[in-house]
Amino acid sequence: MIGTADQVADKIRQFYEAGVDLILGGFLHYSDNLPAFGKTVIPIVRELQANRRTSDELVVV
């Protein structure tokens, strides 16, 4: 995946919603990019998931 942190996080969310539960990542500069991924993308993914749970709870069946 290539894009901004928001774009990558949204793509991960889309994969998760489609049933994917594991993504293998590769980084050109592993020692620099992996920590940056953890600090920028992962929190966005968690926020998107938390927002998804909250909005699902608001839906009355």
Side-chain angles (χ1 to χ4, degrees):
M1 290 176 246
I2 298 174
T4 66
D6 289 324
Q7 291 169 329
V8 172
D10 187 53
K11 183 56 78 174
I12 291 170
R13 180 197 55 80
Q14 290 173 23
F15 279 123
Y16 179 77
E17 288 180 1
V20 174
D21 62 0
L22 178 67
I23 295 174
L24 178 62
F27 300 92
L28 185 59
H29 302 287
Y30 183 82
S31 61
D32 295 329
N33 296 147
L34 184 61
F37 180 83
K39 290 177 184 173
T40 58
V41 176
I42 297 302
I44 297 169
V45 171
R46 289 182 177 150
E47 181 181 344
L48 290 171
Q49 188 61 26
N51 290 342
R52 173 72 181 191
R53 279 192 222 112
T54 301
S55 63
D56 285 348
E57 291 168 1
L58 295 175
V59 175
V60 178
V61 180

Short mmCIF file of all heavy atoms in Angstrom, two decimals:
data_model
loop_
_atom_site.label_atom_id
_atom_site.label_comp_id
_atom_site.label_asym_id
_atom_site.label_seq_id
_atom_site.Cartn_x
_atom_site.Cartn_y
_atom_site.Cartn_z
N MET A 1 0.83 -1.17 0.00
CA MET A 1 0.00 0.00 0.00
C MET A 1 0.88 1.24 0.00
O MET A 1 1.85 1.29 0.74
CB MET A 1 -0.89 0.02 1.24
CG MET A 1 -1.96 -1.04 1.22
SD MET A 1 -2.88 -1.05 2.76
CE MET A 1 -2.39 -2.65 3.34
N ILE A 2 0.51 2.16 -0.82
CA ILE A 2 1.24 3.41 -0.91
C ILE A 2 0.24 4.54 -0.77
O ILE A 2 -0.83 4.51 -1.38
CB ILE A 2 1.99 3.54 -2.25
CG1 ILE A 2 3.01 2.42 -2.37
CG2 ILE A 2 2.65 4.91 -2.38
CD1 ILE A 2 3.70 2.35 -3.72
N GLY A 3 0.57 5.52 0.04
CA GLY A 3 -0.31 6.67 0.21
C GLY A 3 -0.01 7.37 1.52
O GLY A 3 0.95 7.06 2.21
N THR A 4 -0.88 8.31 1.85
CA THR A 4 -0.74 9.01 3.12
C THR A 4 -1.12 8.05 4.24
O THR A 4 -1.70 6.98 4.01
CB THR A 4 -1.67 10.23 3.18
OG1 THR A 4 -3.03 9.78 3.17
CG2 THR A 4 -1.43 11.18 2.02
N ALA A 5 -0.83 8.43 5.46
CA ALA A 5 -1.19 7.60 6.61
C ALA A 5 -2.70 7.35 6.63
O ALA A 5 -3.15 6.23 6.88
CB ALA A 5 -0.74 8.26 7.91
N ASP A 6 -3.49 8.37 6.33
CA ASP A 6 -4.95 8.22 6.31
C ASP A 6 -5.39 7.26 5.21
O ASP A 6 -6.29 6.44 5.42
CB ASP A 6 -5.63 9.58 6.11
CG ASP A 6 -5.53 10.46 7.34
OD1 ASP A 6 -5.59 9.92 8.47
OD2 ASP A 6 -5.41 11.69 7.18
N GLN A 7 -4.78 7.35 4.05
CA GLN A 7 -5.15 6.47 2.94
C GLN A 7 -4.80 5.01 3.24
O GLN A 7 -5.60 4.11 2.96
CB GLN A 7 -4.45 6.92 1.64
CG GLN A 7 -4.95 8.23 1.10
CD GLN A 7 -4.06 8.78 -0.01
OE1 GLN A 7 -2.85 8.56 -0.03
NE2 GLN A 7 -4.68 9.52 -0.93
N VAL A 8 -3.63 4.79 3.79
CA VAL A 8 -3.21 3.43 4.12
C VAL A 8 -4.11 2.87 5.23
O VAL A 8 -4.56 1.72 5.15
CB VAL A 8 -1.72 3.39 4.52
CG1 VAL A 8 -1.34 2.02 5.06
CG2 VAL A 8 -0.85 3.76 3.33
N ALA A 9 -4.40 3.67 6.24
CA ALA A 9 -5.27 3.22 7.33
C ALA A 9 -6.66 2.87 6.79
O ALA A 9 -7.25 1.86 7.19
CB ALA A 9 -5.38 4.30 8.40
N ASP A 10 -7.18 3.67 5.88
CA ASP A 10 -8.50 3.38 5.32
C ASP A 10 -8.47 2.09 4.50
O ASP A 10 -9.41 1.30 4.55
CB ASP A 10 -8.98 4.55 4.46
CG ASP A 10 -10.42 4.36 4.01
OD1 ASP A 10 -11.29 4.11 4.89
OD2 ASP A 10 -10.69 4.45 2.80
N LYS A 11 -7.41 1.86 3.76
CA LYS A 11 -7.29 0.63 2.98
C LYS A 11 -7.21 -0.59 3.92
O LYS A 11 -7.85 -1.62 3.66
CB LYS A 11 -6.06 0.68 2.07
CG LYS A 11 -5.90 -0.51 1.17
CD LYS A 11 -7.11 -0.77 0.30
CE LYS A 11 -7.16 0.16 -0.88
NZ LYS A 11 -8.26 -0.16 -1.81
N ILE A 12 -6.49 -0.47 5.01
CA ILE A 12 -6.43 -1.55 5.99
C ILE A 12 -7.82 -1.81 6.55
O ILE A 12 -8.25 -2.96 6.69
CB ILE A 12 -5.43 -1.23 7.12
CG1 ILE A 12 -3.99 -1.25 6.55
CG2 ILE A 12 -5.57 -2.20 8.28
CD1 ILE A 12 -2.94 -0.72 7.50
N ARG A 13 -8.56 -0.75 6.84
CA ARG A 13 -9.93 -0.89 7.34
C ARG A 13 -10.81 -1.62 6.31
O ARG A 13 -11.59 -2.50 6.66
CB ARG A 13 -10.54 0.48 7.64
CG ARG A 13 -11.98 0.41 8.16
CD ARG A 13 -12.67 1.76 8.07
NE ARG A 13 -12.64 2.33 6.72
CZ ARG A 13 -13.46 1.97 5.73
NH1 ARG A 13 -14.35 1.03 5.90
NH2 ARG A 13 -13.38 2.54 4.55
N GLN A 14 -10.66 -1.28 5.05
CA GLN A 14 -11.44 -1.93 3.99
C GLN A 14 -11.12 -3.42 3.91
O GLN A 14 -12.03 -4.25 3.77
CB GLN A 14 -11.18 -1.26 2.64
CG GLN A 14 -11.75 0.14 2.53
CD GLN A 14 -11.32 0.81 1.24
OE1 GLN A 14 -10.97 0.17 0.26
NE2 GLN A 14 -11.33 2.14 1.25
N PHE A 15 -9.85 -3.75 3.99
CA PHE A 15 -9.46 -5.16 3.98
C PHE A 15 -10.06 -5.89 5.18
O PHE A 15 -10.57 -7.00 5.06
CB PHE A 15 -7.93 -5.32 4.00
CG PHE A 15 -7.28 -5.17 2.65
CD1 PHE A 15 -6.30 -4.22 2.45
CD2 PHE A 15 -7.62 -6.00 1.60
CE1 PHE A 15 -5.68 -4.08 1.22
CE2 PHE A 15 -7.01 -5.88 0.36
CZ PHE A 15 -6.04 -4.92 0.17
N TYR A 16 -9.99 -5.26 6.35
CA TYR A 16 -10.53 -5.87 7.57
C TYR A 16 -12.02 -6.14 7.42
O TYR A 16 -12.51 -7.21 7.78
CB TYR A 16 -10.25 -4.97 8.78
CG TYR A 16 -10.80 -5.53 10.06
CD1 TYR A 16 -10.14 -6.56 10.73
CD2 TYR A 16 -11.96 -5.03 10.61
CE1 TYR A 16 -10.65 -7.08 11.91
CE2 TYR A 16 -12.48 -5.55 11.78
CZ TYR A 16 -11.82 -6.57 12.43
OH TYR A 16 -12.32 -7.09 13.59
N GLU A 17 -12.75 -5.17 6.90
CA GLU A 17 -14.18 -5.33 6.71
C GLU A 17 -14.51 -6.42 5.69
O GLU A 17 -15.58 -7.01 5.74
CB GLU A 17 -14.83 -4.01 6.32
CG GLU A 17 -14.88 -3.03 7.48
CD GLU A 17 -15.52 -1.70 7.12
OE1 GLU A 17 -15.97 -1.51 5.97
OE2 GLU A 17 -15.56 -0.84 8.01
N ALA A 18 -13.58 -6.69 4.79
CA ALA A 18 -13.77 -7.75 3.79
C ALA A 18 -13.39 -9.12 4.35
O ALA A 18 -13.55 -10.13 3.67
CB ALA A 18 -12.95 -7.45 2.54
N GLY A 19 -12.87 -9.16 5.58
CA GLY A 19 -12.54 -10.44 6.21
C GLY A 19 -11.06 -10.74 6.32
O GLY A 19 -10.69 -11.79 6.85
N VAL A 20 -10.21 -9.85 5.86
CA VAL A 20 -8.76 -10.07 5.96
C VAL A 20 -8.33 -9.78 7.39
O VAL A 20 -8.66 -8.74 7.95
CB VAL A 20 -7.99 -9.15 4.98
CG1 VAL A 20 -6.50 -9.26 5.19
CG2 VAL A 20 -8.38 -9.47 3.55
N ASP A 21 -7.61 -10.72 8.00
CA ASP A 21 -7.18 -10.51 9.38
C ASP A 21 -5.66 -10.51 9.54
O ASP A 21 -5.14 -10.48 10.64
CB ASP A 21 -7.82 -11.52 10.33
CG ASP A 21 -7.44 -12.95 10.02
OD1 ASP A 21 -6.68 -13.18 9.06
OD2 ASP A 21 -7.91 -13.85 10.72
N LEU A 22 -4.95 -10.53 8.42
CA LEU A 22 -3.49 -10.48 8.47
C LEU A 22 -2.98 -9.80 7.21
O LEU A 22 -3.40 -10.14 6.10
CB LEU A 22 -2.90 -11.90 8.55
CG LEU A 22 -1.39 -12.02 8.54
CD1 LEU A 22 -0.82 -11.43 9.83
CD2 LEU A 22 -0.97 -13.47 8.39
N ILE A 23 -2.11 -8.82 7.39
CA ILE A 23 -1.49 -8.13 6.26
C ILE A 23 0.02 -8.20 6.48
O ILE A 23 0.52 -7.85 7.55
CB ILE A 23 -1.94 -6.66 6.17
CG1 ILE A 23 -3.44 -6.60 5.87
CG2 ILE A 23 -1.14 -5.90 5.12
CD1 ILE A 23 -4.03 -5.21 5.89
N LEU A 24 0.73 -8.67 5.47
CA LEU A 24 2.18 -8.73 5.52
C LEU A 24 2.73 -7.44 4.94
O LEU A 24 2.44 -7.10 3.79
CB LEU A 24 2.69 -9.94 4.73
CG LEU A 24 4.20 -10.11 4.64
CD1 LEU A 24 4.78 -10.31 6.04
CD2 LEU A 24 4.53 -11.28 3.76
N GLY A 25 3.47 -6.71 5.74
CA GLY A 25 4.01 -5.43 5.28
C GLY A 25 5.50 -5.53 4.99
O GLY A 25 6.24 -6.27 5.63
N GLY A 26 5.92 -4.76 4.02
CA GLY A 26 7.33 -4.65 3.70
C GLY A 26 7.70 -3.18 3.60
O GLY A 26 6.90 -2.37 3.14
N PHE A 27 8.86 -2.84 4.07
CA PHE A 27 9.28 -1.45 4.10
C PHE A 27 10.65 -1.31 3.46
O PHE A 27 11.54 -2.13 3.71
CB PHE A 27 9.34 -0.95 5.55
CG PHE A 27 8.01 -1.04 6.26
CD1 PHE A 27 7.68 -2.16 7.00
CD2 PHE A 27 7.10 0.00 6.18
CE1 PHE A 27 6.47 -2.26 7.66
CE2 PHE A 27 5.88 -0.09 6.83
CZ PHE A 27 5.56 -1.21 7.57
N LEU A 28 10.82 -0.28 2.65
CA LEU A 28 12.09 -0.03 1.97
C LEU A 28 13.20 0.24 3.00
O LEU A 28 14.28 -0.33 2.92
CB LEU A 28 11.96 1.13 1.00
CG LEU A 28 13.17 1.43 0.13
CD1 LEU A 28 13.54 0.20 -0.72
CD2 LEU A 28 12.92 2.62 -0.77
N HIS A 29 12.91 1.09 3.94
CA HIS A 29 13.87 1.42 5.01
C HIS A 29 13.25 0.96 6.32
O HIS A 29 12.69 1.76 7.08
CB HIS A 29 14.17 2.91 5.03
CG HIS A 29 14.72 3.42 3.73
ND1 HIS A 29 15.99 3.13 3.32
CD2 HIS A 29 14.16 4.15 2.75
CE1 HIS A 29 16.20 3.68 2.13
NE2 HIS A 29 15.09 4.29 1.77
N TYR A 30 13.36 -0.33 6.57
CA TYR A 30 12.66 -1.00 7.66
C TYR A 30 12.85 -0.30 9.00
O TYR A 30 11.89 -0.05 9.72
CB TYR A 30 13.14 -2.45 7.73
CG TYR A 30 12.44 -3.30 8.76
CD1 TYR A 30 11.21 -3.87 8.49
CD2 TYR A 30 13.03 -3.52 10.00
CE1 TYR A 30 10.56 -4.65 9.43
CE2 TYR A 30 12.39 -4.30 10.95
CZ TYR A 30 11.16 -4.85 10.65
OH TYR A 30 10.52 -5.61 11.58
N SER A 31 14.08 0.01 9.36
CA SER A 31 14.36 0.56 10.70
C SER A 31 13.77 1.96 10.89
O SER A 31 13.51 2.37 12.02
CB SER A 31 15.86 0.57 10.99
OG SER A 31 16.54 1.38 10.05
N ASP A 32 13.53 2.69 9.81
CA ASP A 32 12.90 4.01 9.90
C ASP A 32 11.40 3.92 9.69
O ASP A 32 10.62 4.58 10.40
CB ASP A 32 13.49 4.96 8.86
CG ASP A 32 14.95 5.28 9.09
OD1 ASP A 32 15.36 5.28 10.28
OD2 ASP A 32 15.67 5.49 8.11
N ASN A 33 10.98 3.15 8.70
CA ASN A 33 9.57 3.14 8.30
C ASN A 33 8.67 2.36 9.24
O ASN A 33 7.51 2.75 9.44
CB ASN A 33 9.41 2.59 6.90
CG ASN A 33 10.08 3.43 5.83
OD1 ASN A 33 10.56 2.90 4.84
ND2 ASN A 33 10.14 4.74 6.01
N LEU A 34 9.14 1.29 9.83
CA LEU A 34 8.29 0.50 10.71
C LEU A 34 7.86 1.29 11.95
O LEU A 34 6.68 1.32 12.27
CB LEU A 34 8.95 -0.82 11.10
CG LEU A 34 8.09 -1.75 11.94
CD1 LEU A 34 6.83 -2.16 11.18
CD2 LEU A 34 8.88 -2.97 12.35
N PRO A 35 8.79 1.96 12.64
CA PRO A 35 8.34 2.78 13.78
C PRO A 35 7.40 3.91 13.37
O PRO A 35 6.43 4.20 14.07
CB PRO A 35 9.64 3.34 14.36
CG PRO A 35 10.70 2.40 13.91
CD PRO A 35 10.25 1.91 12.55
N ALA A 36 7.65 4.51 12.21
CA ALA A 36 6.77 5.57 11.73
C ALA A 36 5.37 5.02 11.44
O ALA A 36 4.36 5.66 11.74
CB ALA A 36 7.36 6.23 10.48
N PHE A 37 5.30 3.83 10.87
CA PHE A 37 4.03 3.17 10.60
C PHE A 37 3.26 2.95 11.91
O PHE A 37 2.06 3.22 12.00
CB PHE A 37 4.28 1.83 9.90
CG PHE A 37 3.05 1.06 9.56
CD1 PHE A 37 2.34 1.34 8.41
CD2 PHE A 37 2.61 0.04 10.39
CE1 PHE A 37 1.19 0.62 8.08
CE2 PHE A 37 1.48 -0.69 10.07
CZ PHE A 37 0.77 -0.40 8.92
N GLY A 38 3.97 2.48 12.92
CA GLY A 38 3.36 2.24 14.22
C GLY A 38 2.88 3.51 14.90
O GLY A 38 1.87 3.51 15.60
N LYS A 39 3.57 4.60 14.68
CA LYS A 39 3.20 5.87 15.32
C LYS A 39 2.13 6.64 14.55
O LYS A 39 1.42 7.45 15.14
CB LYS A 39 4.44 6.75 15.47
CG LYS A 39 5.41 6.24 16.49
CD LYS A 39 6.65 7.12 16.55
CE LYS A 39 7.66 6.52 17.52
NZ LYS A 39 8.94 7.24 17.49
N THR A 40 2.03 6.41 13.24
CA THR A 40 1.08 7.21 12.45
C THR A 40 -0.11 6.41 11.96
O THR A 40 -1.25 6.82 12.16
CB THR A 40 1.78 7.87 11.24
OG1 THR A 40 2.38 6.86 10.43
CG2 THR A 40 2.84 8.86 11.68
N VAL A 41 0.13 5.28 11.33
CA VAL A 41 -0.96 4.53 10.68
C VAL A 41 -1.77 3.73 11.70
O VAL A 41 -3.01 3.77 11.69
CB VAL A 41 -0.42 3.61 9.57
CG1 VAL A 41 -1.53 2.76 8.98
CG2 VAL A 41 0.24 4.44 8.48
N ILE A 42 -1.11 3.00 12.58
CA ILE A 42 -1.82 2.13 13.51
C ILE A 42 -2.81 2.90 14.39
O ILE A 42 -3.95 2.46 14.57
CB ILE A 42 -0.83 1.29 14.35
CG1 ILE A 42 -0.03 0.35 13.45
CG2 ILE A 42 -1.55 0.51 15.44
CD1 ILE A 42 -0.86 -0.62 12.63
N PRO A 43 -2.44 4.06 14.94
CA PRO A 43 -3.45 4.80 15.72
C PRO A 43 -4.67 5.21 14.90
O PRO A 43 -5.79 5.21 15.41
CB PRO A 43 -2.68 6.04 16.21
CG PRO A 43 -1.26 5.62 16.22
CD PRO A 43 -1.12 4.68 15.05
N ILE A 44 -4.47 5.52 13.64
CA ILE A 44 -5.61 5.88 12.78
C ILE A 44 -6.50 4.67 12.56
O ILE A 44 -7.73 4.76 12.62
CB ILE A 44 -5.13 6.46 11.43
CG1 ILE A 44 -4.36 7.76 11.66
CG2 ILE A 44 -6.32 6.70 10.50
CD1 ILE A 44 -3.64 8.27 10.42
N VAL A 45 -5.89 3.51 12.32
CA VAL A 45 -6.67 2.27 12.14
C VAL A 45 -7.48 1.99 13.40
O VAL A 45 -8.67 1.68 13.32
CB VAL A 45 -5.75 1.07 11.80
CG1 VAL A 45 -6.53 -0.24 11.82
CG2 VAL A 45 -5.07 1.28 10.47
N ARG A 46 -6.87 2.13 14.55
CA ARG A 46 -7.58 1.89 15.82
C ARG A 46 -8.72 2.87 16.00
O ARG A 46 -9.80 2.50 16.48
CB ARG A 46 -6.60 1.96 16.98
CG ARG A 46 -5.67 0.77 17.00
CD ARG A 46 -4.74 0.81 18.19
NE ARG A 46 -3.92 -0.39 18.21
CZ ARG A 46 -2.69 -0.43 18.70
NH1 ARG A 46 -2.15 0.65 19.22
NH2 ARG A 46 -2.01 -1.55 18.68
N GLU A 47 -8.49 4.13 15.64
CA GLU A 47 -9.54 5.14 15.74
C GLU A 47 -10.70 4.82 14.79
O GLU A 47 -11.87 4.92 15.18
CB GLU A 47 -8.98 6.52 15.44
CG GLU A 47 -10.01 7.63 15.56
CD GLU A 47 -9.43 9.00 15.23
OE1 GLU A 47 -8.20 9.15 15.20
OE2 GLU A 47 -10.24 9.91 14.99
N LEU A 48 -10.38 4.44 13.57
CA LEU A 48 -11.43 4.07 12.62
C LEU A 48 -12.25 2.89 13.14
O LEU A 48 -13.47 2.88 13.02
CB LEU A 48 -10.82 3.72 11.25
CG LEU A 48 -10.22 4.86 10.45
CD1 LEU A 48 -9.47 4.31 9.23
CD2 LEU A 48 -11.29 5.84 10.01
N GLN A 49 -11.57 1.91 13.72
CA GLN A 49 -12.27 0.75 14.26
C GLN A 49 -13.13 1.14 15.45
O GLN A 49 -14.26 0.67 15.59
CB GLN A 49 -11.28 -0.35 14.64
CG GLN A 49 -11.93 -1.65 15.03
CD GLN A 49 -12.75 -2.25 13.90
OE1 GLN A 49 -12.51 -2.02 12.73
NE2 GLN A 49 -13.74 -3.03 14.27
N ALA A 50 -12.63 2.00 16.32
CA ALA A 50 -13.41 2.44 17.48
C ALA A 50 -14.64 3.21 17.03
O ALA A 50 -15.73 3.03 17.57
CB ALA A 50 -12.55 3.30 18.40
N ASN A 51 -14.47 4.07 16.02
CA ASN A 51 -15.60 4.82 15.49
C ASN A 51 -16.62 3.89 14.85
O ASN A 51 -17.82 4.11 14.94
CB ASN A 51 -15.14 5.87 14.48
CG ASN A 51 -14.38 7.00 15.13
OD1 ASN A 51 -14.46 7.21 16.33
ND2 ASN A 51 -13.61 7.72 14.34
N ARG A 52 -16.13 2.85 14.21
CA ARG A 52 -17.02 1.87 13.58
C ARG A 52 -17.87 1.17 14.64
O ARG A 52 -19.07 1.01 14.49
CB ARG A 52 -16.19 0.86 12.79
CG ARG A 52 -16.93 -0.29 12.22
CD ARG A 52 -17.79 0.12 11.08
NE ARG A 52 -18.50 -1.04 10.59
CZ ARG A 52 -19.17 -1.07 9.48
NH1 ARG A 52 -19.21 -0.01 8.72
NH2 ARG A 52 -19.80 -2.13 9.12
N ARG A 53 -17.22 0.78 15.75
CA ARG A 53 -17.96 0.11 16.83
C ARG A 53 -19.01 1.04 17.41
O ARG A 53 -20.13 0.63 17.67
CB ARG A 53 -16.99 -0.33 17.92
CG ARG A 53 -16.30 -1.63 17.61
CD ARG A 53 -15.58 -2.19 18.83
NE ARG A 53 -14.30 -2.69 18.40
CZ ARG A 53 -13.14 -2.18 18.73
NH1 ARG A 53 -13.07 -1.15 19.51
NH2 ARG A 53 -12.03 -2.70 18.28
N THR A 54 -18.64 2.30 17.61
CA THR A 54 -19.57 3.26 18.18
C THR A 54 -20.77 3.46 17.26
O THR A 54 -21.91 3.45 17.71
CB THR A 54 -18.87 4.62 18.42
OG1 THR A 54 -17.77 4.40 19.29
CG2 THR A 54 -19.81 5.62 19.03
N SER A 55 -20.54 3.61 15.96
CA SER A 55 -21.64 3.81 15.03
C SER A 55 -22.50 2.55 14.91
O SER A 55 -23.71 2.62 14.76
CB SER A 55 -21.15 4.26 13.66
OG SER A 55 -20.36 3.27 13.05
N ASP A 56 -21.88 1.35 15.02
CA ASP A 56 -22.64 0.11 14.99
C ASP A 56 -23.56 0.01 16.21
O ASP A 56 -24.67 -0.49 16.12
CB ASP A 56 -21.72 -1.11 14.96
CG ASP A 56 -21.07 -1.33 13.61
OD1 ASP A 56 -21.51 -0.68 12.63
OD2 ASP A 56 -20.12 -2.12 13.54
N GLU A 57 -23.09 0.50 17.35
CA GLU A 57 -23.89 0.46 18.56
C GLU A 57 -25.10 1.38 18.47
O GLU A 57 -26.11 1.15 19.12
CB GLU A 57 -23.04 0.84 19.77
CG GLU A 57 -21.98 -0.19 20.10
CD GLU A 57 -20.95 0.30 21.09
OE1 GLU A 57 -21.07 1.45 21.55
OE2 GLU A 57 -20.03 -0.46 21.40
N LEU A 58 -25.01 2.41 17.64
CA LEU A 58 -26.11 3.36 17.50
C LEU A 58 -27.22 2.82 16.62
O LEU A 58 -28.34 3.32 16.66
CB LEU A 58 -25.59 4.68 16.92
CG LEU A 58 -24.62 5.46 17.79
CD1 LEU A 58 -24.10 6.68 17.06
CD2 LEU A 58 -25.28 5.88 19.10
N VAL A 59 -26.91 1.81 15.83
CA VAL A 59 -27.91 1.23 14.93
C VAL A 59 -28.83 0.32 15.74
O VAL A 59 -28.39 -0.61 16.40
CB VAL A 59 -27.24 0.44 13.79
CG1 VAL A 59 -28.29 -0.26 12.93
CG2 VAL A 59 -26.37 1.35 12.96
N VAL A 60 -30.11 0.59 15.67
CA VAL A 60 -31.09 -0.23 16.37
C VAL A 60 -31.70 -1.22 15.39
O VAL A 60 -32.17 -0.83 14.33
CB VAL A 60 -32.19 0.65 17.00
CG1 VAL A 60 -33.22 -0.21 17.69
CG2 VAL A 60 -31.58 1.67 17.95
N VAL A 61 -31.67 -2.48 15.75
CA VAL A 61 -32.22 -3.51 14.86
C VAL A 61 -33.61 -3.88 15.29
O VAL A 61 -33.97 -3.93 16.40
CB VAL A 61 -31.30 -4.75 14.86
CG1 VAL A 61 -31.85 -5.82 13.94
CG2 VAL A 61 -29.89 -4.36 14.47
#
